[in-house]
Amino acid sequence: MTDETLHVALILDGNGRWARMRGLQRSDGHLQAQTAVKSVVDAALECNVTHLTLFAFSTENWSRSAEEVALLMQPERWLMTPQQVTHYRDHKVHVTFLGDREDIRLPARCTRWIRSVEEETSQLHPRLRLSVAFNYGGRQEITEAIRRAHLTSGGAGSEHAFLEHLWSRGLPDIDLCVRTSGEHRLSNFMLWSMWYAELIFTKTLWPDYRGSDLVQALDEFRQRNRRWGTAPSSAHPANS
C-alpha cells in the first residue's frame, strides 16, 4: 500500500447473536468481544494501517435493556482491559474516543476511564491511531458541528469551520469500512467520513472476527478500483 494514510473502520456487530447461538447471556457475547478487538488492532499494526476506527456504542444503543447498557458503560470489561491499554501504549497505539461526552447519561466513572486511556496512550508519533466511536451517532455529529460552526463564525460558516467541529476532526476520510454479522447497513456511522469508502460485509459475528479476517478484507480492498467519480478508464486501483 503506497498511500500515506489508510483509514479502516469496523462496525462491531453480532455480540448478542453469538451468545444466543451458544445458549449464553448477551453479556457473555460482549465480554468475548475484547479478544476480537485486540486481534484486529494487532493485525492493523502489522498491515501498516495508520487509522483504525471501531463503532462500539451508538446513540441508538441507549434503547437497550438497562442491564445491557450498564455493562456497555464499563468498556474496561468488554472493549479493552487495563492490560490491553498498556499493550497499546507500548506498541505506539494512540487511543481516542469519538462521541457525545456531554451526555448526562454517561456515568462519571466511564468518562474518567475514557480520559485516562487517552492520556495513557497519548504520544507524538503513534504507529496507529485507534479511534473508538462511543456514544456516537453520525447525524448527531453533523448536526452538532453545524450548530457549533454557526455559533463560532457568526453565521458565516464554511466547510473548513464545519470540519473543525466534527467529533472526528483530524481523522482522514475512511478508506474501507467492514461490518460484521451479515447486516448490510451503515447504522448512522461516520456518515461524513464515509463518503467514498469501500464497503465489505461479512457474516462473521464480531466475537469470532480476528486479525486474519482483517487481512483478508484488506486484500479485497487492494483489488478494488476507487474511481472517485471518474470514468473506469481513468480509475486508480486502491493499491496503486
Side-chain angles (χ1 to χ4, degrees):
M1 183 70 61
T2 58
D3 294 341
E4 184 178 358
T5 63
L6 176 60
H7 188 177
V8 178
L10 291 106
I11 300 175
L12 320 184
D13 195 16
N15 295 349
R17 271 166 284 177
W18 183 93
R20 185 172 64 249
M21 290 169 59
R22 291 161 175 77
L24 303 173
Q25 300 295 317
R26 288 181 63 86
S27 58
D28 294 312
H30 292 308
L31 294 173
Q32 184 67 23
Q34 63 177 263
T35 301
V37 172
K38 183 179 184 302
S39 182
V40 164
V41 173
D42 288 345
L45 284 168
E46 293 178 5
C47 294
N48 296 318
V49 173
T50 57
H51 297 76
L52 180 68
T53 298
L54 308 179
F55 197 11
F57 184 84
S58 75
T59 51
E60 290 78 31
N61 288 154
W62 289 105
S63 63
R64 298 188 177 186
S65 70
E67 180 182 9
E68 183 173 0
V69 170
L71 172 61
L72 294 172
M73 288 297 107
Q74 302 175 64
E76 71 279 7
R77 294 183 60 193
W78 65 272
L79 186 62
M80 58 185 77
T81 65
Q83 293 78 15
Q84 285 174 315
V85 173
T86 300
H87 174 77
Y88 297 153
R89 181 199 65 196
D90 294 344
H91 287 79
K92 297 187 180 299
V93 178
H94 182 194
V95 184
T96 59
F97 289 78
L98 315 175
D100 185 2
R101 302 193 190 191
E102 299 177 3
D103 193 328
I104 62 174
R105 294 172 294 183
L106 284 173
R109 172 188 47 75
C110 181
T111 55
R112 286 196 299 270
W113 180 85
I114 287 173
R115 287 195 299 269
S116 70
V117 170
E118 290 181 329
E119 291 171 0
E120 181 175 348
T121 62
S122 178
Q123 43 210 306
L124 289 177
H125 302 290
R127 291 176 57 198
L128 172 67
R129 178 168 174 179
L130 173 60
S131 302
V132 180
F134 194 87
N135 198 28
Y136 175 90
R139 284 189 171 187
Q140 184 178 350
E141 177 184 34
I142 292 171
T143 302
E144 183 65 16
I146 291 172
R147 185 185 69 83
R148 291 180 179 272
H150 180 81
L151 290 175
T152 57
S153 65
S158 66
E159 181 173 321
H160 175 74
F162 163 77
L163 293 175
E164 286 298 308
H165 292 285
L166 289 172
W167 291 327
S168 54
R169 61 187 173 273
L171 292 180
D173 290 329
I174 293 169
D175 297 296
L176 169 65
C177 178
V178 179
R179 181 173 185 141
T180 60
S181 86
E183 302 293 345
H184 295 79
R185 57 180 178 271
L186 296 180
S187 295
N188 200 21
F189 178 52
M190 303 287 280
L191 300 179
W192 182 269
S193 302
M194 200 86 75
W195 73 300
Y196 252 100
E198 295 292 322
L199 307 177
I200 292 178
F201 301 100
T202 174
K203 292 183 179 180
T204 304
L205 303 175
W206 177 247
D208 290 329
Y209 200 85
R210 293 294 181 269
S212 57
D213 296 298
L214 178 62
V215 172
Q216 183 176 349
L218 288 168
D219 288 342
E220 179 177 340
F221 169 76
R222 294 186 179 105
Q223 300 305 314
R224 295 190 180 183
N225 286 327
R226 306 187 74 191
R227 298 193 180 106
W228 304 102
T230 64
S233 60
S234 58
H236 299 284
N239 62 341
S240 62

